[in-house]
Amino acid sequence: VEASQSGNTNYNAATSVSVTFNATDTSKDDQSITFDAISSTTYGDVVTLSASTSSSLDVTFELVSGEGEISGNKLSILGVGEYTVRALQSGNDSFNPANPVDVEFTVEKALLTVTADDQEIEAGDDMPSFTISYSGFVLSEDESSLDTTPTATTSVTSTDTSGSFDITLSGGDDDHYSFTYVNGTLTIIEVLSSLTNSEVEVYPNPFVHSIQIKKRGYEEAVIIDVSGTIIVRSNQIESIDLSPLPAGIYYLQVTYRDGRSTKTKIIKKH
């Protein structure tokens, strides 16, 4: 029932007041509803609604506020923000309708993990196009569902300098998703000439499985990692198998019969 007053020349219209009540049949028993609380949830979840009546009659549900769909006792969450769900029981020949019971809860944005994909180029190459991977989409959505997609950038402006550089992410925005960013790595590999000095020639460089050394009086070759640890020692004349080594930067140190030695940077690729 709604009470209202439209006002007159001296008074503004009054704010309407509504009162809701159930008209009961005194020949029937009353009943009540117990509606279990709903914990805060996230976009895309399916919530199981749980309510019971003192009469043991079945309860139905309706979505009062918030975006979603109810099927039986399952609520599919299709939005974010404040939600209200109402539990109802209309009664039967023995019981009056129960007073509706509302439950309120909050729906948070779903968490999306956004990762900048690693890139590897040789010094002097054009800057690559950075790509992004996503994890955490719901409801069969994808990157095209986002209001604003993140962008991947790096602080490096030239590819002439070798090394490893962060690929960072920023700028993503969406009504239904929050973002966690995972940096990628841009690796710029220094390209060395096959002929490293007048006495030793090593190829290919960079390499994948093995290197070839053109012998000019050397006695021993060792492979040293960037920490200075000798990891391979060889006196083979033509080839050194380095396939077990992980990708990275190493040094080939060649020692000659007269005691001299030279050191050359070599790079193992994936």
Side-chain angles (χ1 to χ4, degrees):
V1 176
E2 181 177 270
S4 62
Q5 214 298 319
S6 60
N8 58 19
T9 56
N10 296 318
Y11 292 92
N12 292 318
T15 300
S16 298
V17 177
S18 296
V19 174
T20 301
F21 61 93
N22 285 327
T24 61
D25 185 339
T26 57
S27 65
K28 297 181 181 181
D29 293 330
D30 291 333
Q31 61 173 328
S32 60
I33 295 173
T34 300
F35 193 174
D36 295 343
I38 301 172
S39 301
S40 294
T41 185
T42 58
Y43 171 68
D45 284 350
V46 176
V47 176
T48 299
L49 307 173
S50 178
S52 60
T53 61
S54 58
S55 63
S56 298
L57 296 176
D58 292 337
V59 176
T60 60
F61 302 96
E62 68 177 26
L63 184 59
V64 178
S65 64
E67 186 178 357
E69 297 176 353
I70 292 179
S71 177
N73 69 335
K74 303 293 184 181
L75 168 62
S76 298
I77 302 294
L78 304 177
V80 298
E82 301 303 316
Y83 274 61
T84 301
V85 178
R86 179 168 295 159
L88 307 118
Q89 215 304 310
S90 58
N92 61 10
D93 292 341
S94 301
F95 291 93
N96 288 309
N99 289 323
V101 177
D102 290 350
V103 166
E104 298 176 349
F105 60 99
T106 302
V107 175
E108 305 290 347
K109 293 182 178 183
L111 179 62
L112 197 63
T113 300
V114 187
T115 302
D117 299 326
D118 294 339
Q119 302 284 344
E120 185 176 286
I121 60 173
E122 293 183 349
D125 287 351
D126 292 336
M127 191 68 72
S129 297
F130 297 131
T131 57
I132 297 173
S133 299
Y134 296 87
S135 175
F137 280 115
V138 297
L139 302 175
S140 300
E141 294 179 332
D142 56 25
E143 180 181 355
S144 65
S145 306
L146 299 177
D147 296 332
T148 304
T149 55
T151 56
T153 58
T154 184
S155 60
V156 179
T157 57
S158 170
T159 64
D160 292 336
T161 301
S162 61
S164 296
F165 308 92
D166 284 339
I167 304 172
T168 58
L169 295 156
S170 63
D173 185 66
D174 191 72
D175 288 341
H176 296 139
Y177 293 95
S178 58
F179 298 85
T180 293
Y181 294 134
V182 180
N183 290 348
T185 300
L186 170 64
T187 302
I188 302 177
I189 300 173
E190 181 180 358
V191 180
L192 302 177
S193 170
S194 293
L195 186 62
T196 57
N197 56 52
S198 60
E199 296 181 292
V200 62
E201 183 179 351
V202 55
Y203 63 92
N205 192 17
F207 66 95
V208 177
H209 299 296
S210 62
I211 57 172
Q212 309 290 322
I213 303 173
K214 286 192 175 180
K215 179 178 181 295
R216 292 189 180 181
Y218 83 85
E219 185 172 275
E220 183 183 55
V222 296
I223 306 299
I224 304 170
D225 66 16
V226 292
S227 70
T229 302
I230 295 175
I231 53 177
V232 175
R233 189 184 299 271
S234 175
N235 57 9
Q236 294 184 39
I237 293 176
E238 294 182 354
S239 176
I240 302 177
D241 180 15
L242 300 177
S243 54
L245 297 182
I249 296 174
Y250 300 90
Y251 295 93
L252 166 67
Q253 181 173 292
V254 175
T255 302
Y256 300 95
R257 294 190 180 96
D258 60 7
R260 294 176 301 110
S261 65
T262 60
K263 185 182 291 184
T264 301
K265 182 190 291 185
I266 58 175
I267 298 171
K268 186 175 191 299
K269 300 180 71 173
H270 293 287

